Amino acid sequence: MSSIDRKKLLLDQLWIEMNDKYSVGCHRTRPHKLLEKNNLAVLSIFVIALSCDDRGNDALVFFEGRAIETVGDSVFAVTSSPEKAILALNLKTDNIDTIGRGDLNSPVHLQFLGGRWYVSDVVNALPSVKIFARGENGQFHLVRAVNLGEQTSLHHQFAVLPDGRIVVESRDDRLVVISQDSVATFALTQTGPRPSIVVAARGGVLHAVPDSHLTLYNAFGNIRWRAEWPWSEDAYVTDIAIDAKSRVHVLAGIPDLGEGEFRVYSIVGETGEVVWWSDPGERATFSVTLFGDISPDDTGRWF
């Protein structure tokens, strides 16, 4: 078999694998037809061009400043203040399900775990987390509301561990873990003058203390890594999103940017190191490609 034939076979096999994994009902030109002599650079080009609609294989990570919660490879969900609900977009059916309308006052932060939706809310000016589960009719309904006012002063900052316990930042330089009948110390930490961010990541908790550090804890409260805060004081980190591939993306407002006010930074989930960042975007809506490239996106492409 000649060298060019081997390359054609390699591309054919990769085309079949990627087409089956990342597309539904798409028809594309076989990549070996794009080959020119011995140039395998087309490999990268054809994989990036695998999509058959305007969303392609992009994954939405922030929508108008709010982190997206991804369920599998086909559902993107975000909270909506006007709707006072969760909006869940199914990419396979293009349907948008509305969850929690009538039970939520001011939802922001969102996590899906074990078939349940956990969403931050405000009740009587105090932080809370409301939990929605699917009922016999197939619809999600409120099953529990957890009042966090005694444990934390931070609104909309929580992480749910794999066993269902909820972690928040307390008022006394601790992360505490809340179960149905107890509150215990999860980890000792330090806070700063700016509000911290607490999200679930890689089976544990990512705790971001502006102007100080980022720390990833495992589910037992042990530090997996801690990284110094990499952004300048004029950058204002507003949210953190974890995509379907467990990649960590940080949304920051950058006042000095001429082309836009927001930029997304991607950090290595194993070390906390910032490895790439997006072009500026004005609407704080960003998507990530299959290979991790972040770019501003059009809100109308999704919801």
Side-chain angles (χ1 to χ4, degrees):
M1 182 182 293
S2 68
S3 173
I4 191 66
D5 286 336
R6 283 195 298 269
K7 291 172 183 177
K8 288 180 180 180
L9 179 60
L10 170 65
L11 287 172
D12 258 345
Q13 291 172 340
L14 185 57
W15 182 89
I16 293 170
E17 178 183 346
M18 298 290 285
N19 193 53
D20 290 344
K21 186 174 182 180
Y22 296 105
S23 65
V24 178
C26 298
H27 302 280
R28 305 183 180 89
T29 301
R30 292 269 176 163
H32 69 71
K33 294 183 179 179
L34 303 176
L35 271 174
E36 294 182 5
K37 297 183 180 179
N38 295 328
N39 185 9
L40 269 180
V42 70
L43 185 62
S44 298
I45 297 173
F46 111 83
V47 174
I48 292 172
L50 271 175
S51 74
C52 61
D53 61 19
D54 62 339
R55 292 176 186 143
N57 293 309
D58 296 346
L60 191 63
V61 287
F62 292 102
F63 183 80
E64 296 187 344
R66 297 194 177 194
I68 292 293
E69 178 72 356
T70 303
V71 182
D73 60 358
S74 60
V75 175
F76 294 154
V78 67
T79 55
S80 169
S81 291
E83 296 286 340
K84 295 183 178 180
I86 304 166
L87 302 180
L89 169 65
N90 190 317
L91 296 179
K92 293 182 178 179
T93 64
D94 219 30
N95 291 332
I96 298 177
D97 292 329
T98 303
I99 301 167
R101 182 182 286 155
D103 293 312
L104 295 170
N105 303 308
S106 181
V108 175
H109 184 49
L110 185 64
Q111 185 179 343
F112 185 82
L113 179 69
R116 295 186 167 197
W117 291 104
Y118 297 77
V119 57
S120 67
D121 202 7
V122 178
V123 178
N124 297 324
L126 297 175
S128 71
V129 170
K130 292 182 177 177
I131 306 171
F132 295 84
R134 196 182 297 275
E136 294 180 358
N137 62 356
Q139 302 299 312
F140 283 94
H141 64 280
L142 181 66
V143 295
R144 184 183 171 206
V146 183
N147 185 352
L148 302 177
E150 294 184 3
Q151 287 79 37
T152 183
S153 59
L154 288 179
H155 291 75
H156 309 299
Q157 302 302 326
F158 73 92
V160 185
L161 297 174
D163 61 7
R165 294 178 298 158
I166 298 173
V167 176
V168 298
E169 181 189 277
S170 72
R171 296 181 175 88
D172 57 357
D173 287 346
R174 291 185 301 154
L175 293 177
V176 296
V177 59
I178 303 166
S179 60
Q180 290 199 9
D181 55 4
S182 67
V183 178
T185 298
F186 181 72
L188 298 178
T189 184
Q190 50 185 288
T191 59
R194 295 188 186 184
S196 301
I197 298 176
V198 181
V199 298
R202 293 178 170 261
V205 177
L206 181 60
H207 185 216
V209 180
D211 303 323
S212 180
H213 60 268
L214 292 157
T215 306
L216 180 65
Y217 298 90
N218 66 15
F220 303 101
N222 300 316
I223 294 177
R224 295 179 60 181
W225 54 255
R226 173 167 286 170
E228 292 186 3
W229 193 254
W231 298 281
S232 62
E233 292 184 358
D234 62 343
Y236 194 87
V237 171
T238 61
D239 210 345
I240 297 175
I242 314 298
D243 68 22
K245 294 184 176 295
S246 297
R247 297 174 296 201
V248 181
H249 309 288
V250 179
L251 178 66
I254 312 292
D256 293 337
L257 286 176
E259 301 129 351
E261 296 183 352
F262 297 94
R263 173 171 276 160
V264 172
Y265 299 82
S266 295
I267 66 178
V268 178
E270 291 79 12
T271 64
E273 179 186 5
V274 175
V275 289
W276 57 85
W277 50 87
S278 72
D279 290 331
E282 296 180 359
R283 296 293 301 275
T285 296
F286 292 83
S287 60
V288 59
T289 67
L290 185 65
F291 298 100
D293 295 322
I294 296 281
S295 60
D297 210 331
D298 178 13
T299 58
R301 209 162 66 112
W302 302 93
F303 290 93

